[in-house]
Every structure is written in C-alpha cells, then in structure tokens.
Amino acid sequence: MSAASDAGVVVPRFGTRGKAWLALLGVLIVAGLGAWAYQLRQGLAVTGMDNVFSWGLYIMLFVLFIGLSAGGLIISSAPKFFHSKRYDSLAALGVLLSLGCIVVAGLLILPDLGSPSRVTGFLTSPDPRSPMVWDFGIVLLYGLFNVGYLWLLTRRDFAKMGSWLAFGVEDTPAGRERDRKFAFWAAAIAMPLAVGLHSVTGWIFATQIGRGDWFNPLVAPMFIMKALVSGLALLLVTGILVDRFTRFRFPRELVPELGKLLGIFVAVHVIYLVAAERLPHAWAAHFEFWSITRAFLVGDTIHFWLWTLIGGVLPIALLAVPSLRRRIKAVFVASVAAIVGILFEGVYLIFTGYHDLNIDAAPGVTTGTDYTGLEADIWATTGSYTPTIVELAVAVGLVAVGALIVTLGLRFVPIQPNDRTPVSAERDETTATTADPVATDGGADAEVAGDA
Amino acid sequence: MTDYGMVIDLERCIGCNACAVSCSQENNVSLDKQWNRILTEGGDAMDTPEGSYPENGRDGTLSMNHLPLACQHCDNAPCVKVCPVNATYKRDDGIVEIDYDKCMGCRYCMSACPYNARVFNFDEPKTLPTDGTGNVEERKQGVVEKCTFCSHRVEEDLDPACTVACPADARIFGDLDDEESTASRYVEKYETEQLLDELETDPNTYYIRGEMSPGRTRSGNELEGTEKKAVGNPNGVATDGGDGQ
Ligand code: SF4
Ligand code: SF4
C-alpha cells in the first residue's frame, strides 16, 4: 500500500485486533437479526411491552441515539461557522459518528413496528399532522446531509488517495480553499437541521396530552440540551478510544477543553433545565417551604436518580476540577457517565408517560399479552415494563451496526486531517503529503496503530 | 351531515358487563383484550365499593358506580392526528376507524389516546369461536384495533351491539347532528359529561351523571326521536350471526 493511498485513513489495514472487533460486531449483528426474525414470527408479545406500556426499549434507545447523533455534527460545524479551525481535527470523525448514530436511530424504529413491511406508508400515505411524519422526514434529511457533509470534508483527501470515492474531484489548493467555503455553508445548514431534528423528536412526546409529563413545552429544549450532552460525550469517548487504538490523533489539549464544555452542558441540562421544569410543579403542589423544597429536589423513581446522579453529579464533579479534567481517564469516565445518564433520562421520560393511567379505575386496561387460559388476569391499572432478552439482542445488534459503520469509516474514510498540525491556525494542505504514513498519524502510538 | 355519538347513563348502568361481552362477541375480539371495559368507580378491585361498612346504623359510606369505557370517537381525536400513515381516520359520519391494511403497528396512537381505548395485537388474536359471530374485518398480528361503534352494523341501520345488549337501557346511540334523534334529545335534556374534557378531545360519547334518565321503554314519545334499532335487514351481513359463511 503506497503512502498516498492511505493518507488520512487512521486504520490503513485491519490487524488481528481489528479483525476480532469486526468479528464481534458481525456476531452481534447476526444475533440481533436472529432475534428480530424470532420477534417477527412470534409478534411483539416476546417483548416486555403491553397495551398499557406500549413503547419500550426500542423507543428509549431511539431517543438516545437521536441525541447522540447531534454532538459530532455540532462540534464539527459550530466552529466552522465562526471560521475557526480549532476543532478541524475532530470534524470528520464527528460527522462519521453522527452518521452512525442517526442510522442506528432510524433502524431502531423498524423492530418497534408490529407490521414493518408497511413502513412504506410513510411515503405512500403520510399524514402531515403527525409529528412522527415530521421526524421521519428530518431523520432522513439529516442522514443524507451527514453523508454529503462527510464527503465534502474528506473528498480532497479521497482524491489525494486516488480513491474512487472522490468521484472525480481533484486535490488542488484552490479546491481545498473552495471546500472550506462550502463547509461554512454546510455548517450553516447543519446547525438548524440538528436543532430541528431534536426538537421534532421532542415534539413526538411533547404534543401528547394523554401521557402525563410528556405534555410539556420544555421537552423540546430538553431534547436539544441532552443532544449536546450525549453527543459531545460520545465524541469524547470515541475520540479517546480511536486515538488509543488507531493512528488517529485526538489533540491532547482539546480534551480538558471539551471536557469543560461537556461539564457546562451537563450543568445546564441536569441542574438548570430540570430545576426549571420541576420548581413550578413543586411550588404549586405544596404549601410549606420545606415540602416545596423536598418535592423539588427529591425525585421519585430509580431512573430519575440514575439520570441525575450518574449523568449529572458524577460528571460535573469530575469535570469541574481543572486538575481532574486534564486527565484523559477522568474525562473519559465523565463522558461515559453522561451518556448513561442521558439513556436513563429517556427511560425516565417514557416511564412518566406510561406509569399512570388517566382513568385507572379497576380492573383497568387489558394488557393484551397475558392470556394463559380461563383464569388469566389480563388487566392492569398501572404500567410496568422490563425489556426482554429478545429486545436486548435486537437493540445490541442495531448498535453494532452503528459501530460497524464507524469502524468501516475509520478504515476507508480519511478522517484525520491530512497534515501534521491539526490545531495550528495556519495550515497549508499542500505540504502535508509525506512519504511516511506513520508520520501522518500525528504522532499516535505507532505499534498500537499497526496492530489495530 | 351525520355525526354518530353515544349517550351512556351512568345512573342506569348496573355494571353487568353484558355490553362488554356482546362487544367481544360481535367484533370477535381476542380473549386477552377488550374494546369495551366496565370500570368500577369505587374500591381497588372490580365490583367493590369504597368507603366503610355501616357499623352503627346508618353511618356507612359505601359507594360504587360503574363506568363503561370504550373509544369515545373524539372530534378532535389525537389518535387520528398522530397516525403517520393515515391508518386511523375520522369518517364523515363521526366514527373513528382504523384501516387494518395500512396500520404498521407503530402504536403512536396508543400513546396519544388519553382513554387507553386502543389495543394492539402483540401476537395472533385468540378468539372463540375462531371465526367469530359478526362479519367484522379480521385483524392480524401487529395492528392496533378498537371500538368502531360497530360501523358494520350502523351501515345497515342497526345500533351497535352494546346498545342492543344493555338490559338497563343505559346506552343510547344516534346522530348528534340530528336534533330530533334520541341521543341528541338526551344530551339536550340531561346533564352530561365528556370524559377528560379538560384535554379538549371533544368526545362523541356523553355520560349522564346525577339524574337518572327514564329508560327507553318508559320515556314515552317525548325523548324517543329515533327508535332503538335492534333488528335489521334479515338478509344483511351484520345480523346473520357469523355462521352464514
Ligand atoms: S377515545 Fe382514544 S381511540 Fe377513541 S377517538 Fe378518542 S383518542 Fe382516538
Ligand atoms: S399503530 Fe397503526 S393506527 Fe396507530 S398510529 Fe401507528 S400506524 Fe396509525
């Protein structure tokens, strides 16, 4: 393989470890497909859902992955919008991640459908009043935009590699300059698109009068904030891992910086927005000062605590202290915790919608899943839900599809900006070509890189 | 225009479940579901009162009432608005219906319905007898279903099965746009309530609470605008008991 042919690609070839990783993903995807086939035959009865709790893990993860898909795009586009090159080294990786996540989110809808073959109805007889139709449109648009944007960011490097993926584009300094202008305009589209994606997904819930706390104007802003939190956290986690296992170089000085930004996002989300949401309710429902305070501070479900403690307190504690956030490990742990927290926020949201019935007089609602014979109790007056192994297997399989997309992206897309000084303000792309592919990795651990 | 609706007199309802049973039979509803449920307003379990037993003479506070609940056929139906593929729709005659060939089973409508009126076929429906008693459309695994006001009967000028089955005349079905229909006259005369009306779904189902209506056999001519339609065209499909195939 010649030097030029893999310039900017952070995994020039799959080593043993890379192959093992691919094999693992393959196994997970096949297991997920198997589980889905089983579910198609048996029906959604093999999930933990019923007539009361009618959306479960798939929708919870859909919400999570919609959020995760934000970070990459925002981090890669926001600086461009201000003509800053500071985060250029993360731009392509970020868009690649966004793409992987939005694909997972879109695919997660399929196993949730009772009759997936009719999903074409979105195109043949859509109802423009349905927030789910809006979401379908914007998810599609967002996915396609990510593909185009990733190509725009990397096409000159593709050209340099001589890859057919350049689609005839040539690597010229003038061309790179022009692409930079295009990237500015793309960024100008990316941001409203991302805001739209998260708001619309929030409105799927926020428009529903019948499901308790869902009907809440704060849901859409919450979705945007949690997209910023989880998206940035995922970019940090992936960036750190990819830096460790491939030739990709995550500029070290960016870690505490982005860590600090993540801390601010978490604080706005978990402290400010949650307070803004809960305080009016607590105030209106209670009389004494301390009971108002208690109702405001003390959540009622385990999901609430998982979200606010693991996803809020822990990352803030790790990221607030400057000496801690300079440690990559601390930022890594904080980011993972933030993602786990956001996962449970989604779980919490779904539970608040389904736990209580508006009309809960006995015997309640027929569950539609519990008929075992004449004596069966098919009734429920509150919602409860535990995902089944089948749901978990399908979900893990789909997440593996996302991981596969990112992995193949690392292997075939030149996501590392093709010069040695990703952070410097003045870059001259024409001098970046070097005879030694290892040197283009920006100094990452060559042994590890070769192995991956 | 026609706007079908129902009046349910909660004071007349005796909680016998006859309407629920006839609904399940008429529409061949799976054994693990009910389109029409009779809820007990009272204790924690079905058919139990709340309050305390009279210990000393008349100091008891026991109270119990029944609330029959099925799809309310809302005018501003959230289930219709959320359905991404137009499978759930509001007919011109006011009935909210589902096109089972379009429904993709996303269950968004179940989240949207504040009354939990909708059920989903998580697996193949378990019905007894397997071909049912009515001539209603089959619903397969993976689609949502609910009360249709027995649209197949209404189209043949018959009242819904529940209305005919009610031994207490607690249900009156009719055209709310027709001021002379019995249903309209009941809504006009009695104090009625639409369930969860604060949610502004504007149901076509009205509940009488407080003063009991006289019952159709005794109501005389004054409230009988349109008669109860229990027997229809003997050659029609809705009355053949389902064994004519
Ligand atoms: S009661 Fe529920 S299912 Fe029936 S029309 Fe209203 S919202 Fe739709
Ligand atoms: S489950 Fe069927 S009827 Fe309900 S919203 Fe989805 S497609 Fe429409």
Side-chain angles (χ1 to χ4, degrees):
Chain A
M1 204 178 277
S2 77
S5 74
D6 56 9
V9 168
V10 297
V11 184
R13 65 179 178 84
F14 287 121
T16 356
R17 188 149 45 178
K19 286 188 183 130
W21 170 242
L22 284 178
L24 173 69
L25 293 180
V27 168
L28 293 177
I29 292 171
V30 170
L33 281 174
W36 189 27
Y38 176 71
Q39 183 195 291
L40 280 176
R41 210 175 49 244
Q42 305 291 316
L44 291 175
V46 298
T47 69
M49 295 183 266
D50 63 24
N51 282 334
V52 183
F53 213 111
S54 49
W55 275 345
L57 185 69
Y58 300 138
I59 296 293
M60 293 168 184
L61 288 180
F62 167 75
V63 166
L64 174 71
F65 275 84
I66 289 282
L68 289 175
S69 77
L73 198 65
I74 285 176
I75 287 306
S76 58
S77 59
K80 288 212 172 6
F81 198 56
F82 296 100
H83 299 286
S84 158
K85 293 171 183 166
R86 193 161 175 77
Y87 298 102
D88 270 7
S89 52
L90 297 177
L93 176 66
V95 180
L96 178 63
L97 270 181
S98 288
L99 179 63
C101 291
I102 198 74
V103 170
V104 175
L107 289 179
L108 272 164
I109 294 300
L110 287 179
D112 188 59
L113 298 180
S115 314
S117 60
R118 301 195 183 142
V119 70
T120 46
F122 272 114
L123 300 170
T124 53
S125 71
D127 185 335
R129 286 173 295 183
S130 171
M132 204 181 271
V133 167
W134 312 340
D135 212 45
F136 177 82
I138 202 156
V139 166
L140 213 61
L141 206 64
Y142 191 83
L144 292 176
F145 177 83
N146 270 303
V147 174
Y149 193 29
L150 184 60
W151 184 68
L152 175 66
L153 291 179
T154 53
R155 60 182 184 169
R156 303 288 163 186
D157 289 332
F158 272 130
K160 184 191 279 179
M161 288 159 53
S163 162
W164 61 272
L165 284 167
F167 292 107
V169 170
E170 281 174 20
D171 183 23
T172 60
R176 286 195 182 249
E177 210 34 62
R178 204 153 4 99
D179 277 5
R180 210 178 287 286
K181 292 217 180 66
F182 284 147
F184 168 82
W185 288 109
I189 299 172
M191 282 186 293
L193 195 60
V195 169
L197 174 74
H198 301 291
S199 302
V200 169
T201 308
W203 288 329
I204 287 184
F205 302 94
T207 48
Q208 298 315 311
I209 43 165
R211 288 288 162 271
D213 284 349
W214 288 10
F215 190 62
N216 176 351
L218 260 187
V219 169
M222 278 286 225
F223 266 65
I224 293 189
M225 214 50 229
K226 74 184 184 195
L228 290 175
V229 170
S230 60
L232 178 56
L234 181 71
L235 182 65
L236 279 164
V237 169
T238 324
I240 291 169
L241 286 178
V242 172
D243 178 294
R244 171 88 179 73
F245 292 113
T246 74
R247 297 179 176 190
F248 178 77
R249 177 167 168 260
F250 193 150
R252 239 179 176 288
E253 61 280 17
L254 293 186
V255 174
E257 202 173 294
L258 289 174
K260 191 199 246 168
L261 188 61
L262 178 63
I264 295 169
F265 285 168
V266 173
V268 173
H269 181 227
V270 182
I271 299 179
Y272 177 71
L273 280 179
V274 173
E277 186 179 22
R278 292 173 65 90
L279 183 77
H281 288 292
W283 188 89
H286 296 270
F287 187 65
E288 304 291 343
F289 175 77
W290 285 115
S291 42
I292 294 174
T293 313
R294 183 154 5 91
F296 168 47
L297 287 179
V298 183
D300 32 12
T301 64
I302 174 92
H303 311 116
F304 180 82
W305 289 115
L306 285 170
W307 162 35
T308 51
L309 291 184
I310 298 192
V313 176
L314 177 64
I316 291 177
L318 285 170
L319 297 171
V321 187
S323 62
L324 265 180
R325 87 173 161 252
R326 270 194 289 278
R327 294 212 199 123
I328 291 198
K329 271 209 186 81
V331 173
F332 187 81
V333 171
S335 301
V336 172
I339 295 174
V340 172
I342 296 296
L343 167 66
F344 280 102
E345 199 231 329
V347 175
Y348 173 74
L349 177 80
I350 304 288
F351 267 85
T352 56
Y354 290 126
H355 185 265
D356 296 322
L357 298 174
N358 294 313
I359 300 174
D360 64 353
V365 175
T366 53
T367 58
T369 52
D370 297 329
Y371 185 76
T372 47
L374 275 182
E375 307 264 296
D377 180 7
I378 56 162
W379 299 93
T381 50
T382 54
S384 61
Y385 171 74
T386 321
T388 60
I389 299 288
V390 178
E391 278 171 290
L392 286 170
V394 173
V396 169
L398 287 177
V399 175
V401 170
L404 182 67
I405 291 175
V406 173
T407 309
L408 293 179
L410 296 177
R411 168 70 184 80
F412 295 108
V413 182
I415 58 149
Q416 178 88 323
N418 213 347
D419 62 8
R420 264 192 261 199
T421 48
V423 196
S424 78
E426 284 301 318
R427 333 177 356 167
D428 184 351
E429 303 287 357
T430 51
T431 62
T433 323
T434 132
D436 180 4
V438 178
T440 56
D441 73 5
D445 188 348
E447 280 114 47
V448 175
D451 199 31
Chain B
M1 278 268 283
T2 315
D3 190 24
Y4 286 121
M6 190 174 284
V7 179
I8 301 178
D9 186 343
L10 296 179
E11 308 302 329
R12 294 197 71 81
C13 172
I14 54 173
C16 68
N17 274 273
C19 56
V21 172
S22 72
C23 169
S24 290
Q25 291 190 336
E26 177 72 33
N27 294 292
N28 200 8
V29 178
S30 175
L31 291 167
D32 50 12
K33 299 169 190 90
Q34 262 176 241
W35 287 0
N36 181 11
R37 308 172 267 135
I38 314 306
L39 305 180
T40 304
E41 292 183 324
D44 289 337
M46 189 176 164
D47 292 334
T48 57
E50 65 185 341
S52 56
Y53 194 77
E55 301 283 353
N56 315 300
R58 293 167 169 253
D59 63 350
T61 58
L62 295 179
S63 87
M64 177 175 83
N65 214 346
H66 288 95
L67 176 72
L69 190 68
C71 172
Q72 308 284 301
H73 297 274
C74 310
D75 255 352
N76 177 18
C79 60
V80 173
K81 287 192 285 184
V82 297
C83 180
V85 296
N86 271 311
T88 292
Y89 60 101
K90 179 104 177 154
R91 304 183 358 162
D92 288 342
D93 61 6
I95 297 178
V96 171
E97 215 166 54
I98 303 167
D99 181 339
Y100 306 119
D101 293 328
K102 270 190 187 166
C103 173
M104 58 180 181
C106 69
R107 305 184 304 296
Y108 195 8
C109 53
M110 298 181 75
S111 302
C113 173
Y115 307 93
N116 284 81
R118 292 173 163 258
V119 292
F120 177 69
N121 287 329
F122 286 90
D123 46 14
E124 283 299 339
K126 309 165 200 45
T127 53
L128 267 180
T130 40
D131 64 346
T133 53
N135 285 278
V136 289
E137 222 185 313
E138 187 190 1
R139 286 92 52 190
K140 292 216 158 55
Q141 169 179 310
V143 299
V144 165
E145 53 179 69
K146 66 164 190 68
C147 157
T148 62
F149 265 167
C150 284
S151 57
H152 61 294
R153 292 174 59 93
V154 173
E155 279 157 15
E156 298 194 16
D157 205 24
L158 283 167
D159 277 353
C162 57
T163 307
V164 175
C166 178
D169 273 344
R171 289 174 179 266
I172 294 107
F173 179 79
D175 177 5
L176 297 173
D177 269 359
D178 172 8
E179 281 173 26
E180 297 309 311
S181 73
T182 311
S184 296
R185 290 187 185 186
Y186 270 67
V187 175
E188 173 75 11
K189 166 139 196 217
Y190 293 95
E191 187 126 338
T192 53
E193 159 195 7
Q194 292 164 300
L195 290 184
L196 306 176
D197 62 346
E198 70 279 10
L199 300 181
E200 298 177 76
T201 51
D202 197 7
N204 277 14
T205 305
Y206 292 83
Y207 290 87
I208 297 178
R209 229 188 250 278
E211 191 193 343
M212 187 190 289
S213 66
R216 301 194 74 161
T217 47
R218 287 162 205 277
S219 61
N221 297 330
E222 177 209 345
L223 286 169
E224 282 293 295
T226 42
E227 83 282 20
K228 190 164 167 178
K229 297 164 183 164
V231 186
N233 169 13
N235 300 320
V237 288
T239 45
D240 73 352
D243 45 22
Q245 292 137 340

